Amino acid sequence: MEITVRQAQRSDIPTLGRVLGLAFADDPIVTWLLPDAASRARRAATMFTTVARHNYFEHGGIDVAVDDSGDLVGVAMWAPPGHSSEHTNLRALSGLIRAFRGRLFAAGRMAEKMAAEHPHDPPHWYLASIGTLPATRGKGYGKALLSARLDRCDAEGLPAYLESSKPENVPYYERFGFEVTAELDATEGGPLMWKMWREPRS
């Protein structure tokens, strides 16, 4: 099986939003933000489509993985050094309102706490979201997505940072060189996240 990782095109944004919506439908943080299981994947897709379009695409920080048929099956969204991804501009607000509805305030509070805890020095790449379609998990798409951008980090001598929202994913990221630096309670008593940092490899 050949895995292709490429930079996202603007026409990919609706599809990659749907992929991430399905990938995160069982995520503890997304479940906390969007408790209605029947609409969760659809509303999460709206959220991911919105932030992809307004926060990540213009900085070239979205990688996608496609299968042998050319179908988009995995996505990684990164913020490059020097670009904050936590603050939402007004163009994204309508999409986030559609996604979160009555949970918009909770989502905003969580984003503020994550921003306050986000390391700012040294400059680094920030992995905001990575996910693959549930049917493709374990087939190497996530590894290919991570490796593509981390190879660039290593070539540029730059660290990388992420917050893992699933405890079972922590060992997976550790295999790529990330280390847990702290627990993060951005939900005020809800699900935890784990702050992870990776130094570049020579």
Side-chain angles (χ1 to χ4, degrees):
M1 180 183 68
E2 183 177 346
I3 298 175
T4 300
V5 175
R6 61 170 174 79
Q7 189 166 316
Q9 302 171 3
R10 188 172 296 277
S11 59
D12 293 321
I13 291 177
T15 302
L16 68 86
R18 288 193 294 272
V19 168
L20 287 174
L22 291 167
F24 279 80
D26 64 346
D27 179 84
I29 296 293
V30 172
T31 299
W32 178 82
L33 284 170
L34 303 172
D36 179 41
S39 63
R40 183 180 303 133
R42 174 176 53 80
R43 290 169 62 187
T46 299
M47 182 269 291
F48 283 116
T49 299
T50 299
V51 298
R53 178 173 289 119
H54 297 296
N55 292 49
Y56 296 97
F57 179 78
E58 63 187 78
H59 301 305
I62 306 179
D63 297 325
V64 296
V66 297
D67 63 14
D68 292 336
S69 301
D71 294 328
L72 196 159
V73 298
V75 185
M77 294 200 297
W78 298 81
H83 291 277
S84 173
S85 63
E86 297 93 350
H87 302 293
T88 302
N89 58 46
L90 291 176
R91 292 178 301 162
L93 187 58
S94 62
L96 296 180
I97 291 172
R98 290 197 306 274
F100 293 117
R101 300 178 189 170
R103 296 289 288 162
L104 183 64
F105 179 75
R109 288 273 298 166
M110 188 185 80
E112 288 176 358
K113 287 182 174 290
M114 292 175 68
E117 292 283 338
H118 191 115
H120 295 288
D121 292 308
H124 58 276
W125 281 91
Y126 169 49
L127 177 58
S129 304
I130 183 170
T132 61
L133 289 175
T136 67
R137 288 176 183 167
K139 296 184 178 181
Y141 292 106
K143 178 182 179 181
L145 282 165
L146 271 174
S147 297
R149 189 67 59 156
L150 293 178
D151 286 348
R152 178 174 174 177
C153 290
D154 294 339
E156 296 174 351
L158 290 170
Y161 171 73
L162 63 84
E163 302 105 352
S164 178
S165 53
K166 281 186 175 180
E168 58 266 34
N169 285 348
V170 169
Y172 178 78
Y173 292 125
E174 288 176 337
R175 293 202 293 270
F176 291 87
F178 286 91
E179 297 180 358
V180 174
T181 59
E183 288 185 350
L184 171 60
D185 179 9
T187 59
E188 299 177 328
L192 294 173
M193 287 182 271
W194 288 264
K195 299 169 62 173
M196 303 190 73
W197 184 265
R198 179 188 185 272
E199 290 292 336
R201 293 173 173 174
S202 56

